[in-house]
Amino acid sequence: MQNEIIINADPGETRVAILERSSFSELYIERSGEKSVVGNVVKGKVSRVLPGMQAAFVDVGLEKAAFLYVGDYFPYNGDESDEPPRRRGRGRGNQRSLPKIENVLREGQDIVVQIAKEPIGSKGARITSHISIPGRHLVLTPWARRVGVSRRIDSDKERRRLREIVERLRTKDLGFIIRTAGDGVREADLDADIRYLTSVWDEVQIKVGEQPAPAVLYSELDLPLKMIRDFANDETKRIAVDSQEVYEQMKSFVDRFVADPKPRIEHYEGAAPVFDEFGLESQIHDNLERKVWLKSGGHLVVDQSEALTAIDVNTGRYIGKRDLEETVFKTNLEAVKEVVYQLRFRNIGGLIIIDLIDMESADNREKVYRALQEALRSDKARTNILKISELGLVEMTRKRTRENLVQTVCEPCSYCEGRGYVLSRKSVAFKVLREIRNDLPRFCGRHIAITVSPMVAEELLVSGKDALAKLGEDLGREIEVRARPGLHQEQFEVTALDSGPAIAISLLWLEDRKAKEEDEAAAKSRRRGRRRGAGSEELAEEIPSDEKPGDEKPEDEKPDDEAEAASEAQQVAGSALIAVAADGGEAAEGAAEAQDDVEAQDDVEAKDAAEAKETPASADTDAASAELPEPAGEEAGEAEEVTPVRTEADADTSEPIPEGPSALDEGKTLDEAAESRILPASQKVEES
């Protein structure tokens, strides 16, 4: 087939485009540090043997251990009887004829294998002991010891001629397979290939004894040279390369290993990039799209997943001319050709499901199936297809040896994190309102602002205006909506613009347990007195709930004015001590003064109590009160409170919210974690 090879060799990246009949059919990319390891012959060390899977993991020097199935391995000792068995499938019937993995491999054993598949995603490389080293016209199979011929060489006469030449020239301990490119070549060309491959294998054998595992014994050629070896033939029209250094390497390789007539190599020196000159750059981006248009107006939808690739065929804008069956038939015929082109260009492998448009005629289904088979003849990758089902589905597999085009040139979207979707603006808008309503008691009476992306802000002010107004009524203040460009659609912030009413929180560790027990005992005694009915009303008036037995004093011992003043001072100090945060600097100063008054009064009472040799319960209470931290000063009162928001999009990256009483009970605002989940802001004490 007539083809062209266009090579763009930039520092750090080399791209090769294969054009067949002027159609951009395949793209290969190789980057520095990411060179393909497929085809490398390595000396590995067995790290684990898994009898339950009849496989083993082998350390071959890559990031992840390689996977070796028992059917892909055979022990080799260098004897004539060590010819490997024919490859078999993985069916249960075939597994009975294979040896047990634990009988042929052990942990720590050194083996020589070849990498058959690159590491893809989370999977390690796939390896085999059926080693094959490709040349220009032949493939060396050192442990097969027989001569094979490619199935694509149809002529029986040519097959016999090639087999006789190779049998005569090869050494008996090495096997060879004649490639499709060897069809019609001269004996001298085959002899040059045999000598080159034999020297390569001799070097491998020397390295096996010298280098410890893991070690690379043979590595594939660089991408430009490999493309010449695999794709250049008598019908190659042109090879264009834009690098002088790569051009010299290719010229030397062609002179040594490529038979006459040699392909013409050009050094491209144009002003425009070589891919732009041939119109290839735009086609790369077009073939990365999910929807692919057909010339008739129909289109394909390509969805790639971990398990399989689904390709849906649609008529699109194509409406046909005669009847529905003809329209569907022509669309499917065009679609299967485009499907094969997309499989090759994107290098899609594994399980593939093609959803054709349903056809009533069995003859039409057969014609479409044959058209698919014919289109796959140009694909070098091994494929297996099944008949079109009654539902119009085609199940097929395609050998996967390296990452596909999307995995090579793309990465998961940082905005949607690879999901392919984000929460809609309506969902985010109502989620914001729902989160605020859930914490409504903590925002009560405050003026708050919601910061969201512009799209969500528009949704709140248009579709959600009624819900926003109702929430503002429940809150008691109007809610302000702010739009921040660049904010993720799923993120939002809630800011408290002013302070709110005081919240009294009981601090259990500051209470006097002994005094509390005495209060409970006094309350019990009062309840018993009431049940007896003996002067219950008088007893209740004489022993208030906030006094302890033994602390009562005759009215003539303390003036009424002094008692009332002490009671008021104690109440003010108590409210200031129990509050979580002071409302501004004035409230803090008032609380501090009240606390000083209480401490002075308590000192007097403690001295009197010591002289009277009374119980020290009040002294314990005073000590607990004296150890209380003072409320925050003016800086804490003037700071604007921001309650960050945490959404599903950044749930994994946000810092954990402190738990326990210290974060909220001490009135701390958690405003350092950017854009995490809503937290209620600490509310401040209002002056009495």
Side-chain angles (χ1 to χ4, degrees):
M1 181 184 297
Q2 190 180 62
N3 59 23
E4 298 178 70
I5 302 175
I6 311 299
I7 302 174
N8 168 224
D10 290 329
E13 182 184 62
T14 301
R15 299 184 298 173
V16 178
I18 306 298
L19 279 63
E20 295 179 352
R21 298 191 181 96
S22 301
S23 175
F24 190 4
S25 59
E26 293 188 43
L27 174 67
Y28 294 85
I29 300 176
E30 184 177 88
R31 297 187 176 101
S32 59
E34 300 178 5
K35 184 178 178 181
S36 174
V37 296
V38 173
N40 287 2
V41 178
V42 297
K43 181 181 180 180
K45 184 180 292 291
V46 178
S47 56
R48 289 184 64 190
V49 177
L50 306 175
M53 297 180 63
Q54 284 300 294
F57 285 106
V58 182
D59 181 12
V60 293
L62 300 178
E63 182 179 355
K64 295 182 179 180
F67 181 82
L68 175 64
Y69 177 63
V70 66
D72 293 328
Y73 178 78
F74 72 95
Y76 174 71
N77 301 316
D79 299 332
E80 289 292 330
S81 59
D82 283 335
E83 183 170 341
R86 296 287 184 91
R87 296 191 184 187
R88 300 178 176 88
R90 293 194 184 184
R92 293 184 179 179
N94 293 327
Q95 289 183 353
R96 296 174 184 173
S97 60
L98 296 175
K100 296 290 186 180
I101 190 71
E102 59 270 24
N103 295 335
V104 294
L105 289 177
R106 66 181 186 279
E107 292 187 6
Q109 179 180 348
D110 291 347
I111 57 175
V112 178
V113 292
Q114 186 173 33
I115 299 177
K117 290 184 180 179
E118 283 193 65
I120 299 175
S122 60
K123 300 178 182 179
R126 178 80 179 273
I127 57 178
T128 177
S129 64
H130 297 268
I131 295 176
S132 60
I133 301 177
R136 179 70 186 89
H137 307 292
L138 303 173
V139 175
L140 171 66
T141 55
W143 295 337
R145 299 191 183 90
R146 56 190 180 86
V147 177
V149 183
S150 171
R151 297 177 182 177
R152 299 193 178 187
I153 300 179
D154 299 327
S155 173
D156 292 337
K157 182 179 179 180
E158 179 63 16
R159 293 171 68 90
R160 285 194 299 270
R161 184 186 75 88
L162 295 173
R163 192 188 300 273
E164 290 173 358
I165 294 175
V166 175
E167 285 282 6
R168 186 173 65 253
L169 297 176
R170 75 181 180 102
T171 57
K172 298 303 180 182
D173 59 337
L174 296 178
F176 291 91
I177 297 175
I178 302 170
R179 306 181 65 181
T180 307
D183 187 7
V185 300
R186 301 170 302 172
E187 181 176 337
D189 298 324
L190 295 176
D191 184 39
D193 245 16
I194 291 174
R195 285 187 282 104
Y196 164 71
L197 293 173
T198 302
S199 64
V200 168
W201 183 245
D202 290 340
E203 293 178 3
V204 169
Q205 294 291 78
I206 294 173
K207 292 181 180 179
V208 169
E210 294 179 349
Q211 299 186 9
V216 178
L217 308 178
Y218 164 80
S219 60
E220 270 281 15
L221 298 172
D222 292 337
L223 183 61
L225 305 183
K226 186 164 59 176
M227 292 299 103
I228 293 179
R229 183 193 68 191
D230 295 340
F231 289 96
N233 52 44
D234 297 342
E235 298 182 359
T236 300
K237 180 180 177 182
R238 170 174 49 189
I239 300 176
V241 58
D242 60 357
S243 169
Q244 178 68 35
E245 180 181 356
V246 177
Y247 170 76
E248 297 295 340
Q249 294 176 0
M250 296 173 66
K251 284 284 290 181
S252 175
F253 182 83
V254 167
D255 292 340
R256 291 177 58 191
F257 300 111
V258 178
D260 293 329
K262 302 181 186 303
R264 181 166 55 94
I265 302 178
E266 301 177 1
H267 179 212
Y268 176 78
E269 298 178 324
V274 63
F275 270 38
D276 290 338
E277 178 68 21
F278 289 90
L280 306 178
E281 203 72 59
S282 60
Q283 295 185 50
I284 297 175
H285 294 285
D286 291 343
N287 287 322
L288 287 173
E289 297 294 332
R290 180 171 177 261
K291 180 180 288 188
V292 180
W293 288 98
L294 304 176
K295 293 181 180 179
S296 63
H299 65 266
L300 308 177
V301 178
V302 183
D303 288 315
Q304 295 179 242
S305 66
E306 182 72 18
L308 54 84
T309 299
I311 303 177
D312 185 30
V313 181
N314 299 289
T315 55
R317 295 191 294 262
Y318 180 58
I319 58 175
K321 295 181 179 180
R322 297 183 181 179
D323 55 20
L324 176 62
E325 182 68 16
E326 182 186 14
T327 302
V328 169
F329 173 64
K330 289 185 177 180
T331 304
N332 286 336
L333 275 180
E334 184 182 10
V336 294
K337 297 178 182 178
E338 183 65 26
V339 164
V340 174
Y341 171 77
Q342 292 295 328
L343 294 180
R344 293 184 60 192
F345 191 90
R346 303 185 187 214
N347 192 35
I348 297 175
L351 181 60
I352 302 164
I353 304 295
I354 306 172
D355 184 10
L356 299 172
I357 307 173
D358 292 342
M359 293 173 287
E360 297 291 339
S361 172
D363 292 339
N364 289 343
R365 288 198 295 268
E366 183 63 26
K367 291 178 182 178
V368 171
Y369 177 74
R370 287 199 299 266
L372 177 60
Q373 285 183 313
E374 183 64 27
L376 287 172
R377 288 177 61 87
S378 60
D379 189 4
K380 292 182 178 293
R382 187 170 65 250
T383 57
N384 181 30
I385 60 175
L386 302 180
K387 290 281 189 177
I388 302 176
S389 69
E390 294 294 332
L391 299 177
L393 300 178
V394 176
E395 301 174 50
M396 65 173 293
T397 59
R398 185 175 185 269
K399 186 178 180 181
R400 175 167 50 192
T401 57
R402 56 189 174 92
E403 290 186 333
N404 58 53
L405 183 63
V406 173
Q407 293 172 321
T408 303
V409 303
C410 303
E411 64 181 11
C413 173
S414 59
Y415 195 85
C416 70
E417 298 180 349
R419 293 179 296 173
Y421 55 84
V422 294
L423 285 177
S424 67
R425 63 189 72 170
K426 281 190 176 182
S427 299
V428 177
F430 287 105
K431 181 180 180 181
V432 174
L433 302 180
R434 189 163 54 250
E435 291 284 350
I436 297 175
R437 185 172 294 280
N438 289 342
D439 289 326
L440 193 61
R442 300 199 180 250
F443 291 114
C444 184
R446 290 191 173 195
H447 184 199
I448 64 174
I450 305 172
T451 304
V452 292
S453 67
M455 294 293 188
V456 178
E458 180 182 357
E459 200 65 40
L460 282 170
L461 297 174
V462 179
S463 301
K465 62 179 181 179
D466 295 337
L468 187 65
K470 180 65 171 61
L471 181 60
E473 293 177 4
D474 297 341
L475 190 64
R477 301 288 293 271
E478 185 178 357
I479 299 175
E480 180 181 340
V481 178
R482 299 176 179 178
R484 180 188 298 173
L487 189 65
H488 193 284
Q489 183 163 303
E490 294 183 359
Q491 294 178 337
F492 58 90
E493 295 177 358
V494 179
T495 307
L497 303 179
D498 59 1
S499 59
I503 296 179
I505 299 178
S506 177
L507 305 179
L508 300 178
W509 60 88
L510 295 180
E511 295 181 358
D512 188 351
R513 295 184 179 180
K514 188 172 183 180
K516 186 176 181 181
E517 292 175 357
E518 293 177 355
D519 290 343
E520 292 177 354
K524 289 181 181 179
S525 64
R526 286 196 297 271
R527 286 195 295 270
R528 285 196 299 269
R530 291 192 188 97
R531 284 196 296 269
R532 291 170 186 161
S536 61
E537 296 180 359
E538 297 178 1
L539 182 62
E541 294 176 358
E542 293 176 1
I543 307 178
S545 59
D546 58 348
E547 294 184 3
K548 310 175 191 60
D551 289 342
E552 301 89 347
K553 295 184 179 181
E555 295 182 358
D556 56 355
E557 291 184 12
K558 181 181 286 189
D560 294 341
D561 295 340
E562 293 180 3
E564 291 179 1
S567 176
E568 290 179 359
Q570 188 171 1
Q571 290 176 1
V572 172
S575 63
L577 292 173
I578 296 176
V580 175
D583 187 7
E586 297 179 1
E589 293 175 1
E593 293 175 1
Q595 185 175 357
D596 294 338
D597 294 341
V598 173
E599 290 176 355
Q601 182 68 21
D602 289 344
D603 292 339
V604 175
E605 292 179 357
K607 185 181 296 183
D608 295 340
E611 294 174 357
K613 295 182 179 181
E614 295 178 355
T615 182
S618 60
D620 297 338
T621 307
D622 298 338
S625 302
E627 294 176 359
L628 281 173
E630 294 186 3
E634 294 180 359
E635 295 181 359
E638 294 174 358
E640 179 180 87
E641 297 183 46
V642 178
T643 58
V645 173
R646 176 178 176 184
T647 66
E648 297 177 1
D650 55 0
D652 295 334
T653 58
S654 63
E655 297 182 359
I657 298 171
E659 297 181 356
S662 60
L664 295 180
D665 294 346
E666 297 180 9
K668 296 180 181 178
T669 55
L670 306 179
D671 55 358
E672 296 180 358
E675 294 164 354
S676 55
R677 194 182 184 285
I678 282 186
L679 277 177
S682 58
Q683 303 183 12
K684 301 180 180 179
V685 179
E686 294 185 352
E687 293 186 57
S688 61

